[in-house]
Amino acid sequence: MQGFGVDIGGSGIKGGLVDLEEGRLVGERVRIDTPQPARPEPVFDVVTEIVRSFDWTGRVGVTFPGVMKKGVAHTAANVDPSWIGTDVDAGLSGLIPGTVETLNDADAAGIAEMRFGAGRDRDGVVLMLTFGTGIGSALFVDGRLVPNTEFGHIQVDGEDGEHRAAASAREREDLSYPAWAKRVDRYLDVLEAGLWPDLIIVGGGVSRKAHKWVPLLSTRTPVVPALLQNTAGIVGAALAAAERPEAGHDPEPVGRT
Ligand code: BGC
């Protein structure tokens, strides 16, 4: 069975057909630069263009880098503030043929990792963290997502955690991997004071270089790199849309096969 996912990011909007049983893209993904300023209408137009280029008419899963509740964006830490209060589901549903399911970007990546990647068959409390422009989080309890956790914004030494420990901080401040790993370690230290996960999965582009920083961490929780890399958001969004429960039915835990 196939699905369709679109990943809205600060610099690019990516979409593609997804094989829902295998958890991988079918053919190439399409990427279009995020229009600047990244306000809702121009972004909706790009999402529409991507979906239409595949002649896809089924359900579409769409990720957004902020809190998403019932299709409405509630925060926009790293994107244009005009998103706050925007009904993304309704806006996109008016433009593309299929129904739209929007969800937080890290939640989507986590859903994919739990089903097909580093969290596969893992019970207990699993935390996925994505290190990019910000820090995204997705928390799973026995395979079931607790949506919209925002652990990138915990206070660490008086600052927003993601401000010092996101991958963007490493680039902005030209930090070596060991120097940045210290920041991540401190961030995780504070996080672990309030949460006792059984596993932490680290994703985002920087997880490709996991060997340079993950071994330097001193967390009590085992930390493993994500396996799906840059397709996780698209795959997770497509899964979430395809498996959206009908009214009156309980959703299945996503981490189980
Ligand atoms: C946002 C999260 C998002 C994360 C990664 C954070 O700044 O608040 O909602 O998941 O960035 O994009």
Side-chain angles (χ1 to χ4, degrees), residues 106-111 126-129 136-140 145-146 149 151:
D107 283 350
I111 286 171
V126 179
L127 177 66
M128 161 100 185
L129 294 171
S137 59
L139 184 67
F140 295 84
L145 174 69
V146 180
T149 55
F151 294 133

Side-chain angles (χ1 to χ4, degrees), residues 161-182:
E162 71 175 22
H163 182 69
R164 281 177 64 78
S168 60
R170 193 184 69 80
E171 286 154 25
R172 189 176 61 236
E173 297 178 44
D174 202 15
L175 299 173
S176 65
Y177 274 99
W180 179 67
K182 267 196 193 135

Side-chain angles (χ1 to χ4, degrees), residues 64-67 75 77-78 104-106 130 134-137 150 153 162:
F64 179 76
V67 170
T75 66
N78 294 304
N104 172 263
D105 57 356
T130 61
I135 298 177
S137 59
E150 285 284 325
H153 301 294
E162 71 175 22

Side-chain angles (χ1 to χ4, degrees), residues 1 3 6 25 50 54 62 91 93 103 119 121 129 146-147 158 162 223 227 233-234 237 243 256-257:
M1 204 179 136
V6 180
L25 295 189
I50 291 174
F54 286 84
V62 177
S93 295
L103 72 166
D121 298 328
L129 294 171
V146 180
E162 71 175 22
V223 178
L227 296 179
I234 297 175
E243 297 178 359
R256 307 298 177 69
T257 46

